[in-house]
Amino acid sequence: MTDKALFLRPATVLAAVLALAGCSLTPEYQRPPLAVPATLPAASAASVPVTASATAVADLPWQRYFPDARLQQLIGMALDGNRDLRVAALNIEALRAAYAIQDADRFPSVNGVANAARQRATSRPFAYGNSVQAGVSISAFELDLFGRVRALSEAAGAQLMASESARRATHISLVASVASTWYTLWADRWQLALAEQTLATRESSLKLQQLKFDNGVLNELDLRTAQSLVEAARVTRAQAQRQWAQDRSALDLLLGRPAPAELLPPAVDVSMSAAQADGPTTAQADALAQTVSRSLWPELAELPVGLSSDVLLQRPDIVQAEQNLVAANANVGAARAARFPRISLTASLGVASTSLAGLFNDGLLGAAIAPGVSVPLLDWGRTAAGVDSALARRDIALAQYDRTVQSAFKDVADALVARQTWTEQAQAQRAQTEAEAARLRLSTLRYESGVASQLDLLDAQRALFASQQSLITAQLARQQAHIAVYRSLGGGWETTASQQAAATAR
């Protein structure tokens, strides 16, 4: 038999055996139906255009939805420096490496081998012989006849995709958190400016009340009431200052570094000239009501939402849950395949000679194939329990997928309802504030004319101040409701230039 024949025979056997591989015991995967109503709540359709063919919110980059240049820079800084997002990206790298390792088991590992030996002959004690060998070998390569290795590779690939979806969810949540915190800081600016304006107005009013009390015109009860209002304004200012500092720290944490001062919401310019006047005048009342007609910040655009619940499939958390289900389904196939014989193959091909110089000249060509079979005979139910465990984990993954879908449906429904109701509440709160401002102006005129008492005037001041605070809160809640709709529908996915460069480098 020629050397060529010796080479072709093991190769032919190996090819024939590998051709048998292809049987899979993995159940066919089918996406589960959404365990929620087919359409979003009808209440969400009020006051907002809702169409069945609405543009997917997930396709709207955050740069277009948040047009303010300062906010865009802050979001870019957060995407580059946030530690949670960095951990999510590193998790992807770790799972990508694990997938490469697992996928490599589908193919034989070919190793180059070479060895040399000098041995003493048993029949001739002082005679030595040389042996030199070189070639390639395959060590214990499993022939995946029942799809066990392929199923494990599919499971690892699904876990990698789930990790990528988890990173995308972190990305979207981070964008929404930075935007929400930024608008919160803007509301803090308004609350602080309102508190300072109110404090200045009440202090000037207290001076007049103190003068009247010193001259016996005012009783002590009215004086103490005026003093209480001043101290209440100081309390509110301290609260606003503390809230500003805490919210700024929260923004720094999201960015992973201190936020530049020039990128923070601008200071609110509230006229204080009228507040310096001595005594409660109609001009003071108008100054207190100035915030009513101001636009607190640029309004975000309304997002039309499709009627179908299929929009939930754009959310990365649902994609992640589905990939976890795919991985669990593949693990069922691997567990089932473990109950069948496992065939491994060890093979080698090389040349041998008595000298290194003759290894490639007159060396002998040799080949060997050593298949091995491992059959589970008595494992006390271990492999059967493995199948039961894999099936249970798949059922768990299915239940978790359904729960994720239901939570997402609630998240979207709540966000849509919040957007609608906070818009209505902010409009009503603005109307109430305008009414309270008018009431204060009338109370001031009546007080100056001697028709109303000071208590009536102070009550009108307190009511306007509380209404203005509630208006700022309602305006902020409406803005954050818009952000919540954008986030809950999977919007906000867009990489920065540095992230795209890093991905290209990998």
Side-chain angles (χ1 to χ4, degrees):
M1 184 176 293
T2 64
D3 293 343
K4 184 177 181 179
L6 289 175
F7 173 78
L8 290 177
R9 176 174 292 182
T12 303
V13 173
L14 178 61
V17 174
L18 290 177
L20 295 175
C23 177
S24 176
L25 300 177
T26 302
E28 181 181 358
Y29 174 77
Q30 293 182 351
R31 173 180 290 173
L34 295 179
V36 293
T39 58
L40 295 173
S44 65
S47 75
V48 179
V50 181
T51 62
S53 59
T55 302
V57 176
D59 297 333
L60 180 63
W62 58 263
Q63 292 93 333
R64 289 176 53 192
Y65 190 66
F66 301 110
D68 193 287
R70 293 162 299 185
L71 178 55
Q72 288 181 356
Q73 293 185 56
L74 289 174
I75 292 176
M77 293 171 58
L79 294 178
D80 287 336
N82 183 265
R83 299 306 187 268
D84 290 337
L85 192 60
R86 185 175 301 177
V87 169
L90 293 175
N91 284 336
I92 293 178
E93 296 303 318
L95 286 176
R96 182 176 286 116
Y99 169 69
I101 294 173
Q102 182 61 59
D103 193 57
D105 287 343
R106 297 173 55 194
F107 308 97
S109 297
V110 181
N111 305 308
V113 295
N115 58 72
R118 183 175 176 83
Q119 299 176 337
R120 187 175 63 181
T122 56
S123 59
R124 301 172 60 187
F126 299 102
Y128 292 86
N130 298 324
S131 175
V132 180
Q133 297 177 351
V136 294
S137 68
I138 299 174
S139 300
F141 168 61
E142 181 178 346
L143 301 180
D144 196 22
L145 301 180
F146 302 101
R148 188 188 74 87
V149 178
R150 184 166 63 255
L152 292 176
S153 178
E154 291 174 358
Q159 290 172 350
L160 174 59
M161 295 182 65
S163 178
E164 291 175 345
S165 297
R167 177 181 177 272
R168 180 168 180 171
T170 303
H171 179 119
I172 293 173
S173 178
L174 178 60
V175 170
S177 296
V178 172
S180 179
T181 304
W182 192 72
Y183 283 110
T184 300
L185 285 171
W186 210 332
D188 293 340
R189 292 277 203 191
W190 277 96
Q191 294 284 13
L192 182 57
L194 177 62
E196 290 176 343
Q197 182 195 45
T198 302
L199 176 60
T201 302
R202 291 180 179 180
E203 285 178 338
S204 65
S205 178
L206 179 61
K207 291 180 182 179
L208 179 60
Q209 304 305 320
Q210 184 67 50
L211 181 61
K212 290 181 178 180
F213 176 78
D214 293 340
N215 289 278
V217 179
L218 189 71
N219 59 55
E220 185 177 359
L221 176 60
D222 291 341
L223 176 65
R224 298 307 177 190
T225 302
Q227 289 177 341
S228 176
L229 289 178
V230 170
E231 298 307 323
R234 286 200 178 99
V235 169
T236 302
R237 183 181 64 175
Q239 292 173 339
Q241 291 172 337
R242 179 173 63 254
Q243 193 63 50
W244 161 266
Q246 291 176 345
D247 290 337
R248 181 166 181 176
S249 297
L251 180 61
D252 293 343
L253 179 61
L254 292 173
L255 301 182
R257 53 178 166 171
E262 64 274 12
L263 298 182
L264 296 177
V268 178
D269 182 19
V270 178
S271 175
M272 301 295 292
S273 58
Q276 307 304 323
D278 293 331
T281 64
T282 53
Q284 270 186 301
D286 290 338
L288 283 171
Q290 281 182 357
T291 56
V292 175
S293 59
R294 291 178 183 266
S295 177
L296 301 187
W297 41 64
E299 298 293 342
L300 297 176
E302 297 282 1
L303 293 173
V305 180
L307 293 174
S308 174
S309 295
D310 289 341
V311 297
L312 300 177
L313 298 176
Q314 300 167 349
R315 288 174 55 112
D317 57 341
I318 293 182
V319 176
Q320 179 185 2
E322 183 177 5
Q323 290 303 318
N324 287 333
L325 178 58
V326 171
N329 188 71
N331 285 328
V332 171
R336 287 176 174 175
R339 305 180 65 178
F340 292 87
R342 189 175 303 179
I343 302 175
S344 61
L345 180 67
T346 299
S348 63
L349 175 66
V351 294
S353 177
T354 57
S355 65
L356 182 61
L359 185 62
F360 300 101
N361 295 327
D362 56 357
L364 298 177
L365 179 64
I369 296 179
V373 180
S374 174
V375 181
L377 296 178
L378 185 62
D379 61 0
W380 308 105
R382 182 180 291 108
T383 53
V387 175
D388 293 340
S389 176
L391 289 172
R393 293 184 182 277
R394 185 188 62 179
D395 293 340
I396 291 173
L398 176 59
Q400 290 174 338
Y401 174 79
D402 289 341
R403 178 176 176 81
T404 302
V405 170
Q406 293 170 353
S407 297
F409 184 87
K410 178 182 181 301
D411 191 19
V412 174
D414 289 349
L416 292 173
V417 171
R419 180 179 67 174
Q420 171 196 341
T421 55
W422 276 115
T423 297
E424 297 174 353
Q425 182 171 339
Q427 293 173 349
Q429 191 65 54
R430 178 179 291 277
Q432 181 186 4
T433 304
E434 291 173 348
E436 292 294 348
R439 174 191 173 194
L440 178 58
R441 283 193 295 269
L442 293 175
S443 297
T444 302
L445 289 174
R446 289 168 58 84
Y447 177 78
E448 291 174 343
S449 302
V451 178
S453 66
Q454 185 189 16
L455 291 178
D456 294 335
L457 176 63
L458 296 179
D459 181 66
Q461 290 177 346
R462 283 194 297 263
L464 176 60
F465 182 49
S467 182
Q468 287 175 316
Q469 288 180 304
S470 298
L471 175 59
I472 295 173
T473 301
Q475 294 278 34
L476 173 62
R478 183 182 65 176
Q479 198 82 336
Q480 291 178 333
H482 281 271
I483 298 174
V485 171
Y486 183 60
R487 178 196 57 78
S488 64
L489 292 174
W493 173 250
E494 185 75 13
T495 56
T496 61
S498 59
Q499 289 174 326
Q500 290 174 349
T504 303
R506 289 195 296 267

